[in-house]
Amino acid sequence: MNPDYALLAQALLPEIALVVGALLVLGLDLAIFRRQEPAARYRLVMNFGAMAVTVALIFACSTGFSGPVFGDVLFFDTLALITRQGVLMLTLFTFGIACDARRLRHPAEYVAVILFAATGLILMAAAQQLLLAFLALELASISLYVLAGFDKSRPESAEAALKYFLIGGMAAAFLLFGFSLLYGLTGSLILPQIGMMLMPQGPSPLLLIALVMVLVAFGFKTAAAPFHLWAPDAYQGAPTPSAALIASASKLAGLVFFYRLLWPGLGMSAGDAARLPFTIGWVPVVALLSGASLLLGNIAALAQTNIRRLLAYSAIAHAGAMLLGVIAAGASGPAPLFYYAFTYAIAAIGAFGVIALVENAGRCENLADLAGLHRRSPLLAGCLLVFILSLAGIPPLAGFFGKFVIFAAALKLNGLGGPAGWLAVAAILLSAVALYYYLLILKQALVVRTDGPIRRITVPPAATATLLTAAGLLVLFGLFPSVLLGLFQ
Amino acid sequence: MNVAAQSLWLIPALPLAAAGIGALTPRGGRMLAAGSAITALFASLVLSCLALNTALANPAVHAVHNFAWFDLGAGAVRLGWLLDPLTAFMCVMVTLVGLLIFIFSLGYMKEDANFTRFFCFLSLFAAAMLGLLVANSLLLLFICWELVGLASYLLIGFWFHKPSAAAAAKKAFITTRIGDLGFLLGILWLYDARGTLLFFDGGAGILEHASLAALSGQTVCCGLAAATAIGLLVFCGAIGKSGQFPLHVWLPDAMEGPTPVSALIHAATMVAAGVFLIARVYPLMEADKLLTAVPVHALTVVAFIGAITALLGAVIAVGQNDIKRILAFSTVSQLGYMMLALGVGSWVAAIFHLLTHAFFKALLFLGAGSVIHAAHHEQDIRRLGGLRGSMKTTFATFAIGMMALAGVPFLFSGFWSKEAILHAAHALDGSPALRSFGVVGQLPLAIGLAGVVLTAFYMTRLVAETFFGSARTAEAGDVHENSAVMTVPLVLLAVGSVALGFLGTPAFPWLQARLLGEAEVHGHSLLEGGGLMALSIVLVALGLGAGWALYGRRPRAAAAAIDPLAARAPGVVAALADRLGFDELYAATLGRLSDLLAMLAAGLDRWVWGGAVNVLAGLGRALGLISQGTDESVINASFDDAGAGLRGTGQVYSRAQTGDAHGYLRVTAIAFVIIVLIIVLGGIR
């Protein structure tokens, strides 16, 4: 193997831009920004971070590079390229929210860690070699643990970070163990080669254990039941922009990575969940996780009064639908899965953005804190309407079409003849349940009136642009789904 | 021509943008809302004229621009725009009449607090109507159709603080919705049968030969051809929207809206939509006309429904006293004539009448609006009178509109378009089915001729009571002509009401030839079919004379004086004033039935479904509580209880480590073991 470093640098220009940006912001903060007023310093640093992401996004959009890089360590196909653009866009949204969220101490470090997290996430989505994949995953995960605990003035933040870290560490251990078993079984770290080596072997118990170990990490990364326990605490305690990043970009990149690992890599031992009895493999396990997540997420969300915990359980429910998409992706390709995950991520980040801005003007813990939002800020209330309705899957927003393509793909496997179809039906029925708790949010924001004077919320320009862009994208993708789906053809 | 078809979407898009601007404008921005609405519609008018010019260059061509809206399974849902003379003429008419109505509204709605909202709704209405006209897909047409319904609901109920307006809006919406249900069924059936809803698609569209042959060859229940069944279902939509019997009841009530709305709904847009729909899908409606073994042809039904409506509307109009209601029932009647023309096989006559009617009926409504505005919102013709002297422009233009509607010969457009319909009903060239009926086939013509007398009669009565004699109340005495912003549109519409007729006389049927796609005009002698024309002229004279004899010669003395017709036949007039009891009949039968069904549904809802949902909800809540309980009491409880007492981050860490986090990790590990057991045991089996 004779690696071509020039090619590598060309392919990884966005990642390089992010890392350089992260290092620069730390240096500049030490040298210059630190002497500014705290408010000005905060704004400078955030703008710098947003600029770095913008540069990376421009690189990511302009490079037409595709194919394997550096041996087979990285592989840039349509999915990897689009995911990179998507993750960068979501990171940019995060900065748009963070600009105007409650200010944290050490803003430069916060920006740098967000940039590192984004680097890890986009590398993860393109990785094709287990070692690099693990490193990228850990780069992203450790950055996210730090982000979750960044608000040192609130004990909840520390609690969130610790729980996220402990479970994440355990999941990483499982994943590494699973990878080492795979390496032991096949003698290769490159996904397509692993697939080829596994073909003649059949499902040995050792392979099955390796699969389950990988899936534990998968469940953790996507917050699927029963590995979801960290999510409500992390969403509740983490600073809002961190929670937004965890809920959106991390989920998208994680799904894409595990899709790549499971189908192109371990597709030979997928098994089958479209018919009964199961053919053993990882698909029945994912179906199990999917069903558990759909049920637990939707039902537990009904009892929530804290808005972030509610969003966390809704995220678990959405993870269930995405896992269904992973199952169906073997037959219909990753397009529905990506569409669902990306549009979900936009809606989630938008909802967290609204929370961050409301929080900035007062409190935003419980649903009741949203009361009268339509009079405090019609813009926020309007955007929240779009985000929540998209999460609920109401046409013509993108959330509806995401559900539609995933369920259609799942039903196409074998109609109602097996668990995959049943899961799709269950998911459709549970969407009706979900509408209840989503409407609870909207009822507070749009219907309930508050007594006393109205404390108006002023929405700064960066946040306005972010929220309007996110809402606009949801409408656009909903009206013209082929804008996204067509990229995969 | 294809470039023109491609950019056709601009015609509805501009008013839509104006509606958006109007929606975002605060109440104070009156000029912005009205200005953008009028500018946008004017731009649409210019574009429509350009489109008409393009379409007339090749009148036989249906220029289309189709595109995929989104993919669905293996296929795609496709929409498109269509440019042909029918679309182009209608667009020009709607934008022109609409523009004049918009300008009139500037004066009429001047004092209204919700001026900006009004113009927002008006623009939305115009956008929906124009979208309906340019659609090359039954689906897109249906979407715009429903938007027209929505906008009409908003406009009729614009003064929603009046309970009667709110009720009228609801009635219009629900009544048309009944027809729409049939329409939707027809659309679904068509999509199921043909897999597309595009009208023209290079041979594959639903109005093209292959599809029509397949649909008319297929027999469904009762020996009906599929084309007949679908055509009748689509016609249900037109019955609702165009106020045909038996769904005509909403139209007179729609007078509760501001008068410009009445003009817009009853002249140019909503009610015309049904006639336009049938003309647009005409190849489908007449696909079954050569079949002989079928029990009924779609067009025969259309003809008889139209004839009944034409007569019914005219009869009821005789007994009304509200100036707008008389015009409303005359609209019902004229729409019946248009449907009659469609049914007897001459859709070009229907469209000709639609276009002329749009002008003179808009003129009449705006004239009525002018009267109402000047007479301090007095609408009862018995309480008006003598306006001739004080409102000269309004009187002159109203009289022109009245003569056009009554069909006064030669000079007025209404005469020529009505003659075209009567001739088509007499010749029955386009309807072999009706012709084979013999005398019964001439029934629509006979009804149409009877309607001619009644129309002339009630319009004479309207004009005589309103404008002649002397003022009978203080309101009518104290009137002044309105400002130019209201009278200029009247004059322009009056010019159109006269001039438009000369585009379609038998000697020079330019309009009909272009609609049919012929490049040359083949005229006939004016005297061809002169017998029928002479008969109808006599009938018009009879109606005018009778009206003048009863109401004009000896004008009403006081507002409370008894109507001369009522003095002669009190029972009949009372029944007519009561609108022949259709509302009461519907309330007693359908209303009662639906109340019963509603009660049944409510009962089912409350006891059966509600019970089931409550059980499920209770289950869900229990599960939720259990889940929350595990989360918060078992795992989190120690943490939360101690939370208040915690001091410092270090303690948090230690508490988290010794407390709940262990639980989380334990759950993870146990889940892992269970999954491994499931999968390994499953594998061994």
Side-chain angles (χ1 to χ4, degrees), chain B residues 484-573:
Chain B
V485 73
M486 290 168 77
T487 51
V488 168
L490 291 179
V491 173
L492 292 176
L493 284 169
V495 171
S497 302
V498 173
L500 209 58
F502 298 107
L503 297 180
T505 62
F508 181 64
W510 176 84
L511 187 74
Q512 288 94 325
R514 291 299 186 275
L515 282 172
L516 285 172
E518 290 160 8
E520 286 181 31
V521 180
H522 301 287
H524 305 278
S525 159
L526 276 177
L527 292 178
E528 196 170 307
L532 184 61
M533 193 187 288
L535 177 61
S536 86
I537 291 173
V538 168
L539 291 175
V540 168
L542 192 68
L544 288 174
W548 186 254
L550 277 179
Y551 296 97
R553 220 154 32 107
R554 261 179 293 114
R556 174 192 291 274
I562 194 159
D563 191 281
L565 199 62
R568 286 172 177 76
V572 176
V573 171

Side-chain angles (χ1 to χ4, degrees), chain A residues 152 155 158-159 162-163 166-167 170-171 174 205 208-209 211-213 216 226-230 232-233 277-278 280-282 285 288-289 295-296 299-300 302-305 309 313 401 404 412 436 479-482 489, chain B residues 67-74 617 619-621 623-625 627-628 631-632 635-636 639-640 646 648-649 652-654 656-657 660-669 671-672 675-676 678-680 682-685:
Chain A
K152 292 179 198 140
E159 180 203 346
L162 192 66
K163 285 180 180 165
L166 283 176
I167 305 210
M170 184 156 163
F174 271 113
L208 291 177
I209 288 177
L211 286 180
V212 177
M213 289 186 152
V216 169
F227 308 108
H228 66 285
L229 291 167
W230 59 273
D233 289 327
F278 289 135
I280 271 310
W282 58 260
V285 180
L288 210 64
L289 300 187
L295 209 62
L296 185 132
I299 287 177
L302 292 177
Q304 301 305 317
T305 54
R309 288 188 85 84
Y313 282 107
F401 224 84
F404 179 82
K412 231 183 275 173
Y436 171 74
L479 286 178
F480 304 102
S482 43
Q489 283 162 3
Chain B
F67 59 92
W69 185 23
F70 58 84
D71 295 317
L72 198 63
L619 210 65
R621 191 175 307 169
L623 277 174
L625 283 178
S627 158
Q628 192 187 19
D631 248 31
E632 297 197 346
I635 297 168
N636 243 356
F639 189 82
D640 281 351
L646 284 176
T649 327
V652 177
Y653 278 32
S654 64
Q657 259 175 333
D660 56 314
H662 270 179
Y664 286 13
L665 296 178
R666 208 172 296 130
V667 170
T668 308
F672 168 72
I675 292 176
V676 167
I678 291 175
I679 193 170
V680 171
I684 290 166
R685 180 186 59 185

Side-chain angles (χ1 to χ4, degrees), chain B residues 93-172:
Chain B
M93 183 277 284
V94 169
T95 47
L96 182 58
V97 175
L99 185 64
L100 294 174
I101 293 171
F102 278 27
I103 293 172
F104 182 89
S105 307
L106 277 181
Y108 193 87
M109 300 299 286
K110 197 167 58 189
E111 287 108 27
D112 202 287
N114 295 313
F115 188 83
T116 54
R117 187 156 59 90
F118 186 71
F119 272 90
C120 164
F121 290 167
L122 277 187
S123 291
L124 178 66
F125 201 120
M129 186 67 201
L130 291 167
L132 187 155
L133 296 177
V134 302
N136 183 34
S137 150
L138 209 50
L139 180 63
L140 183 59
L141 191 148
F142 185 71
I143 294 172
C144 295
W145 180 271
E146 292 296 328
L147 281 176
V148 167
L150 169 70
S152 76
Y153 169 78
L154 294 171
L155 282 169
I156 294 171
F158 186 74
W159 289 322
F160 54 81
H161 45 82
K162 281 201 309 194
S164 59
K170 215 164 61 181
K171 186 168 172 183

Side-chain angles (χ1 to χ4, degrees), chain B residues 10-25 29-44 102 116-127:
Chain B
L10 276 169
I11 294 178
L14 289 171
L16 190 63
I21 293 174
L24 296 177
T25 310
R30 298 161 80 95
M31 281 336 285
L32 175 64
S36 60
I38 290 175
T39 316
L41 202 63
F42 181 73
S44 289
F102 278 27
T116 54
R117 187 156 59 90
F118 186 71
F119 272 90
C120 164
F121 290 167
L122 277 187
S123 291
L124 178 66
F125 201 120

Side-chain angles (χ1 to χ4, degrees), chain A residues 96-375:
Chain A
I97 297 168
C99 261
D100 305 308
R102 187 157 50 200
R103 284 211 294 277
L104 300 165
R105 273 190 294 169
H106 309 295
E109 286 81 347
Y110 192 61
V111 169
V113 177
I114 291 182
L115 292 177
F116 284 133
T119 315
L121 291 173
I122 57 183
L123 274 176
M124 191 164 113
Q128 173 163 255
Q129 190 225 36
L130 295 184
L131 213 51
L132 182 79
F134 185 75
L135 286 176
L137 188 95
E138 282 307 292
L139 175 59
S141 296
I142 292 172
S143 307
L144 292 176
Y145 306 147
V146 176
L147 288 177
F150 217 89
D151 192 351
K152 292 179 198 140
S153 60
R154 289 166 58 235
E156 296 94 332
S157 180
E159 180 203 346
L162 192 66
K163 285 180 180 165
Y164 190 27
F165 168 67
L166 283 176
I167 305 210
M170 184 156 163
F174 271 113
L175 185 66
L176 200 56
F177 203 168
F179 279 178
S180 61
L181 287 179
L182 283 178
Y183 182 65
L185 282 166
T186 60
S188 171
L189 285 172
I190 313 280
L191 282 176
Q193 290 178 13
I194 292 178
M196 289 217 290
M197 302 296 289
L198 284 178
M199 205 179 333
Q201 293 190 5
S204 61
L206 198 56
L207 175 61
L208 291 177
I209 288 177
L211 286 180
V212 177
M213 289 186 152
V214 168
L215 290 177
V216 169
F218 183 29
F220 159 75
K221 197 76 201 160
T222 52
F227 308 108
H228 66 285
L229 291 167
W230 59 273
D233 289 327
Y235 281 35
Q236 186 184 9
T240 314
S242 312
L245 194 67
I246 293 171
S248 62
S250 157
K251 205 157 195 171
L252 174 64
L255 262 173
V256 169
F257 166 65
F258 278 97
Y259 161 76
R260 199 182 291 284
L261 174 66
L262 291 175
W263 277 113
L266 304 173
M268 285 307 147
S269 41
D272 185 10
R275 282 160 201 84
L276 277 181
F278 289 135
T279 317
I280 271 310
W282 58 260
V283 165
V285 180
V286 174
L288 210 64
L289 300 187
S290 163
S293 307
L294 282 169
L295 209 62
L296 185 132
N298 279 316
I299 287 177
L302 292 177
Q304 301 305 317
T305 54
N306 181 300
I307 179 164
R308 292 156 181 249
R309 288 188 85 84
L310 194 156
L311 282 179
Y313 282 107
S314 122
I316 294 166
H318 279 282
M322 291 180 210
L323 294 190
L324 194 57
V326 170
I327 295 173
S332 53
L337 179 64
F338 178 83
Y339 183 91
Y340 191 104
F342 187 47
T343 53
Y344 164 76
I346 296 175
I349 211 167
F352 273 109
V354 173
I355 293 177
L357 286 161
V358 176
E359 195 174 54
N360 214 11
R363 252 166 66 90
C364 192
E365 286 289 318
N366 292 325
L367 287 178
D369 296 333
L370 284 176
L373 185 62
H374 64 294
R375 300 177 70 187

